[in-house]
Amino acid sequence: MATTLLYHRDPHLLHFAAVVVGHGAWQGRPSLLLDETAFYPEAGGQMADRGLLAGLPLVDAQVDDVGVVHHVVDGLLPAVGARVEGTVDGARRRQHMAQHTAQHMLSSALLAGHAHAETVSSRLGENVCTIDVDVSALSERSLREAEDLLNATIEQDLSVTAFFPDEATLATLPLRRRPKVTDNIRVVVVGDLAAPFDVSPCGGTHVTRTSQIGLVRITGVEKYKGMTRVSFQAGSRARREAFARAGLLEELGRGLSATPEEVPAQLEKLRATIKVLQIDKAALATRVGALLGEALAARSGDAHVVVELVDGADMDLLRAVAVRAISLAPGLAVVVAGRDADGGGNVVVSRGTGSVLDCGALLKRLVTTHGGKGGGKAETAQGRLGDVDATALTATTMALVGST
Ligand SMILES: [Zn+2]
């Protein structure tokens, strides 16, 4: 026989007593069957309740095809016929009630106004809640409009009621979506049935007044299979997340010696400063690189190829060194490598107009021997080496040069 569902009558009922009517099994685990229960079993996108049953932790609650609720507890099952007490985890239940009611209301709010988007499916997860709506895009404006409407309606403290209408009554109700079941349809109404905010068929647990939701925040929007997926938070989770974000913003402000309101302008200023510094740095790299390149060309003597290490140099600087050296010594080819703290570094291999060394082939050999990646043409090649060591690089380079 189906279990009597006490949460349908009163979602705020957190303590109850019931009689054990049997022992069952759910996915290989023993389960306790009661005549009635206040524990919500996982269904309709809402997660199962947790709590204590007969003094044992309730680890899962599921409902079978005939409406029997299976209570999976951690411990020895009390005997059939025993009277047991149950306590629902109130914080978890209130969170589920808030986010479930918020989902109905957000779906309604997105259908109204500019969004005009119909909800196709929803998920009420442990950390994030999402609904998928049947439009390919939602503007920022229509999302904020829906969020504002939703929060304004929460403040109005509307009643949320549920009932099982007969077939004739059901036909007259302005249901937002069609029921998924054919009989025993439960309808949840947000607001006065004469002018409701939302009317949906649903078997879940909901708040009894909208103010119990607290607040709803739309936290994300993304394209999903031709539709739009909207993420939201409700109740205490939304409040915690909003407060945490506010805290982060204040911390960011302290780091920038700014108030939270000044943070965007300060960041913009920083971005502009970085841009100027990058330009300065590139100009400096060209000048320093030219000087280093000149020195390299001067001491290359009769060599056909030289290896040069410049600690901490980036690609701009390495290129400048190479370009200057081979322009002053056209018969020369150079391997110029930077070395970073991790032992690896960028590398540029370039040849002057009078050199016949295949720079691409040499870089390939260097990568094979010293790790890293990169490539290029016969005239010039660049990449990154896993291990930069002057003696080893010179040995590899000379081995290749000697073999050609
Ligand atoms: Zn619902």
Side-chain angles (χ1 to χ4, degrees), residues 46 100-101 103-104 188 201-206:
Q46 184 179 330
H100 202 150
T101 316
Q103 182 263 304
H104 288 222
V188 177
C202 188
T205 56
H206 309 84

Side-chain angles (χ1 to χ4, degrees), residues 315 345-349 359-377 380-386:
M315 207 47 113
N346 297 314
V347 63
V348 173
V349 184
C359 297
L362 174 53
L363 181 61
K364 210 173 271 177
R365 174 73 70 93
L366 290 170
V367 165
T368 307
T369 313
H370 305 285
K373 57 178 182 179
K377 291 181 277 197
T380 186
Q382 64 182 51
R384 188 169 174 82
L385 296 176

Side-chain angles (χ1 to χ4, degrees), residues 164 170 175 177-186 201-203:
F164 291 86
L170 186 68
L175 294 184
R177 63 174 177 83
R178 299 173 67 79
K180 286 174 185 159
V181 290
T182 47
D183 50 20
N184 238 350
I185 293 164
R186 182 169 179 258
C202 188

Side-chain angles (χ1 to χ4, degrees), residues 228-358:
T228 301
R229 177 164 285 183
V230 180
S231 308
F232 68 97
Q233 293 283 22
S236 55
R237 200 183 289 161
R239 189 182 63 234
R240 275 199 304 276
E241 201 184 275
F243 283 6
R245 295 268 172 106
L248 274 178
L249 186 58
E250 278 159 23
E251 203 179 304
L252 203 56
R254 277 194 293 276
L256 292 166
S257 302
T259 65
E261 291 75 19
E262 289 164 352
V263 164
Q266 283 292 338
L267 279 180
E268 199 43 57
K269 226 160 123 183
L270 268 183
R271 245 182 242 122
T273 308
I274 289 169
K275 214 171 181 176
V276 169
L277 287 175
Q278 276 170 339
I279 293 166
D280 288 353
K281 180 172 162 283
L284 212 57
T286 308
R287 287 169 60 186
V288 172
L291 291 173
L292 291 174
E294 272 168 37
L296 183 59
R299 69 169 180 274
S300 65
D302 297 331
H304 295 295
V305 54
V306 290
V307 175
E308 176 80 352
L309 244 61
V310 186
D311 274 342
D314 65 5
M315 207 47 113
D316 283 341
L317 180 54
L318 297 177
R319 256 190 244 115
V321 175
V323 166
R324 187 65 171 167
I326 60 174
S327 73
L328 293 173
L332 187 66
V334 293
V335 176
V336 193
R339 186 168 47 195
D340 301 335
D342 64 359
N346 297 314
V347 63
V348 173
V349 184
S350 284
R351 73 181 189 193
T353 49
S355 169
V356 293
L357 182 88
D358 186 335

